Amino acid sequence: MSAAAVDLIKLLFGVLGVLVLATAVGRVLREQVAPDRSNPGIENLNARIDAWWGMAALLGLAFLAGKTGVIVLFGFISFAALREVLTLTTKREADHWALFGAFFVVLPVQFWLVWDEWYGFYSIFVPVYAFLLLPVVSVLLGDTRDALVRIAETQWALMICVYCVSHVPALLTLRIEGYEGREVLLIAWLVIVVQISDVLQYTWGKLLGRTKVAPTVSPSKTWEGLVGGVISASLIGTALYWITPFSTWQALGMALAVTAMGFFGGLVLSAIKRDRGVKDWGHLIAGHGGFIDRMDSVVFAAPIFFHLTRYFWSAV
Amino acid sequence: MMRLKTAARAFAAKTMGHAIVFFAWLVTAVRGIWEGSEPVPVQRVYFANHTSNGDFVLIWTALPSRLRRRTRAVAAADYWLTNGWRSFIGRDVFNTVLIYRGEEGRDVDPMEKILEAVDGGDSLIIFPEGKRNMDPEVPLLPLKSGIYNISAKRPEVEMVPVWIENLNRVLPKGKLVPVPLLCTVSFGRPMAVRAGETREEFLARAGEALLALRPQGGPQATAGQAPGEVRG
C-alpha cells in the first residue's frame, strides 16, 4: 500500500473516532436531559452529528474513488448549492435560458475543465466567458426590468457555487514536488480544518460568547467564539501537518488563513439569507439546512487555499 | 393475451409514475410543509393555486407515497385525451378524474364525476382557479364554485388548501425544459362549508386560506418596479 493510502486510512480512522465520540456525547446528553426528545437544541445536535456521518462517508468514498469520484461529488454539491442560491434571486421569464445555461452548460463545463486539469481555462472560464455571455442571453429577449440585479445575482451565484466549489477538486491538479499522489489529502486537510473551525466557533461561542461580531448579520457569531474557534481549529490543522506538504509553521499559517476565510464566508452568506428573509438556504441536510449552509466556509476558503498553495508550493 | 397487455400497461404506468416523481424531486427537491394538517390517510380534497402544468405532479411528489396511491387529480379531458401519450400519462399513470370543460363532448356533468370519485373513497387534487394563472402580479385568480359544491354536498370530506411556491419559475409558460429551483408545497388547515355560509363567503375564505400559506421571504421581497413607475 502506498504511503498516501496509509495516511488516508489513518485520517479516516481519526475522523471515525471523532464521530463515534460525538455520537456518544449526543446520545448521552439526550438520555440525561430529555430522553423523550423534547429538547430542540439536543435533537438538532444529534441530527447534525448523524448528518456528519453521511457527509464523512460520502467524502471518504469519493476519496477512495479517486479524481473522478471527487469531481463528481463536488459537481453534485455545486448543483445543489446553485439551486439553493438561484431559488432566492430575482428572476424573470427572460432569464430562463440563462439559468438553463448556468446549470447545464457552465457547471458541467467548469468541472470538466478541472477534470481535464486545464488550469488556463478553468481559472477564467466563469469570470470571463460565463459572466460576459450569460447576460447576453437574458438581454437578447428584451426584458430590461431589474436587469443589473438579475445579471449580478446570477453571476454571484455562479461565483460561489460553481467557481469556488470547483476549486476544492482543483486541488488534485496541483503538482507539488515530493507530494505526488497525495493531493487528495490536501482536500481532506482543507475540509477538516474549515469544518472543525465551524464546529469549534459554535462551541466556544456557546460556552463563552458575550461580544457579538456583527449583531445585525448573525446574533450567534461572537468574538469569543471566533477567536477560540480559529485558534483551536488552527492548532488541529497544525497537528495534521504530516498529511500536507507544509512544515508545522506553514500549516499554522495556512490554517489561520482558511479558518478566517471560512468565518467571512459564513458571515457574508448569513447577510444574504437575512436580506431574503430565510433561515436556511435549503432543507436537504437534516440539522444543517441546505448545502450552502454547510459549505459557506469551504466556499470562501477553497480558492484562496488553492492559490496560496499553488503560488508557494506547486510546480504548475 | 389481453390480460398480458393490461398487466404490461399497468406495470409501465407504475414505473412511469415512479420515474416522473423522481424526476420532479430531482429538479425541485420539493418539500411538503404541513401547517395545520398532517400527512395522514384521511379522505381529502386538496385545492391548490395553479401556475404550471406540473402542479399536480408536484403535489403528488410532496405527498407521502401511502397517500399518493389514493389521491387523484381532477384534470381537463380535452387536454389529456388529445393523444396517446397524454392519455397514457393522464389515465394510466396518474389515474386522473377527467372532466370536460367545454360544452362539446360533455356527456356527464363534471360535478357528477367528481362526486363519484369522492364516493369511491379517493382523495382529490383540484385547482379551483379553473385555469393556469399566468400573471405574476396577481397571486390568485377568483375561485370557481366547484370546491363549494363538493364541500356542501360531502361535508365529511376535509377541504385542504395547498400553496405551490416557485414551480412557475421552474417551468415558465411555453418552455419545454425546466430549470432546477427549489419548490415548496404548503398544506394548510382543513376547512368545510359552515352552516349558513354562502357560496361567496366560502370562496373568499378559501382564497384567503390559500394566500395565507405563501412562504415568507424569497426572491419576491426585492422584485423591483418597471421603468417609469413611481416609487411610493
Side-chain angles (χ1 to χ4, degrees):
Chain A
M1 202 184 289
S2 70
V6 173
D7 281 352
L8 187 58
I9 287 166
K10 274 198 228 165
L11 204 63
L12 288 177
F13 272 102
V15 171
L16 195 73
V18 171
L19 286 175
V20 168
L21 186 71
T23 309
V25 169
R27 297 302 190 269
V28 167
L29 259 177
R30 178 192 278 161
E31 279 310 306
Q32 297 290 321
V33 181
D36 57 346
R37 303 181 174 226
S38 59
N39 184 316
I42 291 175
E43 289 316 305
N44 179 261
L45 177 70
N46 278 298
R48 275 176 187 249
I49 294 169
D50 293 349
W52 276 118
W53 276 101
M55 291 187 265
L58 270 180
L59 208 55
L61 278 178
F63 284 170
L64 295 174
K67 185 172 97 173
T68 306
V70 172
I71 286 175
V72 168
L73 175 69
F74 280 91
F76 274 109
I77 292 174
S78 171
F79 174 84
L82 187 64
R83 188 169 62 180
E84 286 169 3
V85 174
L86 285 176
T87 296
L88 293 181
T89 59
T90 308
K91 287 289 163 290
R92 298 178 55 80
E93 222 182 291
D95 296 308
H96 192 78
W97 289 111
L99 289 177
F100 183 84
F103 279 105
F104 300 114
V105 180
V106 176
L107 191 155
V109 167
Q110 174 71 10
F111 281 85
W112 176 75
L113 291 172
V114 170
W115 183 86
D116 196 47
E117 311 199 2
W118 190 351
Y119 172 78
F121 201 2
Y122 74 68
S123 60
I124 62 159
F125 172 63
V126 170
V128 175
Y129 292 92
F131 282 11
L132 291 177
L133 294 178
L134 277 188
V136 176
V137 179
S138 287
V139 167
L140 275 179
L141 291 162
D143 188 346
T144 59
R145 190 160 157 184
D146 290 325
L148 181 58
V149 174
R150 286 155 46 204
I151 293 168
E153 286 182 345
T154 306
Q155 298 195 338
W156 177 238
L158 281 174
M159 175 74 190
I160 61 172
C161 302
V162 179
Y163 189 71
C164 290
V165 171
S166 76
H167 279 71
V168 180
L171 288 165
L172 295 179
T173 68
L174 294 176
R175 292 289 163 262
I176 300 166
E177 218 187 306
Y179 195 67
E180 291 83 5
R182 297 162 62 84
E183 294 82 5
V184 76
L185 291 168
L186 271 179
I187 298 182
W189 186 85
L190 172 71
V191 172
I192 288 173
V193 172
V194 171
Q195 297 290 358
I196 285 238
S197 171
D198 279 2
V199 173
L200 290 173
Q201 281 175 36
Y202 174 84
T203 317
W204 284 110
K206 281 270 170 191
L207 293 174
L208 304 174
R210 301 279 178 277
T211 337
K212 295 187 180 14
V213 175
T216 51
V217 179
S218 172
S220 63
K221 289 189 169 61
T222 61
W223 280 107
E224 293 82 356
L226 169 60
V227 172
V230 163
I231 290 178
S232 45
S234 296
L235 291 177
I236 292 172
T238 312
L240 287 173
Y241 82 95
W242 51 275
I243 62 168
T244 68
F246 318 137
S247 70
T248 39
W249 285 107
Q250 291 167 341
L252 176 65
M254 280 294 203
L256 286 170
V258 298
T259 48
M261 284 314 294
F263 173 78
F264 296 146
L267 204 63
V268 169
L269 291 168
S270 304
I272 298 175
K273 278 195 283 191
R274 187 148 289 228
D275 173 51
R276 294 300 144 103
V278 296
K279 206 181 135 282
D280 292 318
W281 287 99
H283 59 91
L284 284 179
I285 313 178
H288 295 268
F291 281 81
I292 288 282
D293 294 286
R294 193 60 278 132
M295 289 292 289
D296 51 9
S297 40
V298 177
V299 155
F300 266 56
I304 304 261
F305 179 64
F306 173 89
H307 283 290
L308 285 175
T309 311
R310 182 172 182 277
Y311 185 79
F312 290 109
W313 280 273
S314 171
V316 288
Chain B
M1 193 60 199
M2 264 318 271
R3 198 187 291 168
L4 198 67
K5 244 183 162 171
T6 317
R9 198 173 165 99
F11 176 76
K14 205 167 172 177
T15 311
M16 186 78 176
H18 287 304
I20 291 175
V21 164
F22 179 69
F23 180 72
W25 179 81
L26 208 62
V27 171
T28 66
V30 63
R31 169 175 50 143
I33 302 173
W34 297 83
E35 300 176 351
S37 54
E38 290 298 319
V40 288
V42 177
Q43 193 180 14
R44 285 169 171 162
V45 171
Y46 300 97
F47 63 96
N49 61 321
H50 197 17
T51 56
S52 159
N53 278 335
D55 280 341
F56 88 83
V57 174
L58 202 72
I59 295 182
W60 232 51
T61 309
L63 285 172
S65 58
R66 67 203 153 91
L67 302 194
R68 201 181 291 156
R69 277 190 291 269
R70 304 264 2 221
T71 306
R72 305 165 65 189
V74 177
D78 45 288
Y79 177 82
W80 285 104
L81 294 185
T82 41
N83 67 42
W85 262 109
R86 279 188 193 170
S87 104
F88 174 67
I89 303 240
R91 208 175 243 166
D92 296 79
V93 178
F94 292 115
N95 189 21
T96 46
V97 180
L98 292 169
I99 56 170
Y100 289 89
R101 290 184 288 194
E103 292 298 321
E104 205 178 326
R106 175 186 285 191
D107 46 355
V108 282
D109 176 32
M111 189 48 62
E112 238 170 73
K113 286 205 83 168
I114 289 172
L115 291 178
E116 194 183 299
V118 169
D119 294 337
D122 290 327
S123 288
L124 300 183
I125 297 169
I126 196 164
F127 300 99
E129 289 170 282
K131 58 173 188 249
R132 274 182 297 155
N133 178 5
M134 289 306 176
D135 186 349
E137 310 295 326
V138 179
L140 194 66
L141 300 174
L143 304 186
K144 297 194 186 288
S145 301
I147 52 172
Y148 170 84
N149 294 334
I150 300 172
S151 186
K153 291 195 171 111
R154 298 289 183 273
E156 69 282 3
V157 176
E158 291 187 350
M159 308 295 292
V160 175
V162 179
W163 185 267
I164 298 170
E165 181 70 15
N166 227 9
L167 192 62
N168 51 340
R169 293 170 68 223
V170 169
L171 197 63
K173 178 189 168 196
K175 298 292 192 298
L176 280 178
V177 288
V179 294
L181 297 172
L182 303 179
C183 294
T184 55
V185 175
S186 303
F187 298 87
R189 190 187 300 279
M191 48 194 295
V193 174
R194 290 173 182 155
E197 191 171 35
T198 66
R199 180 180 302 267
E200 288 71 30
E201 284 164 353
F202 176 79
L203 292 177
R205 198 154 64 84
E208 280 163 24
L210 279 174
L211 291 172
L213 287 170
R214 279 188 296 176
Q216 299 291 310
Q220 303 87 338
T222 54
Q225 295 173 353
E229 273 178 50
V230 182
R231 278 176 201 265

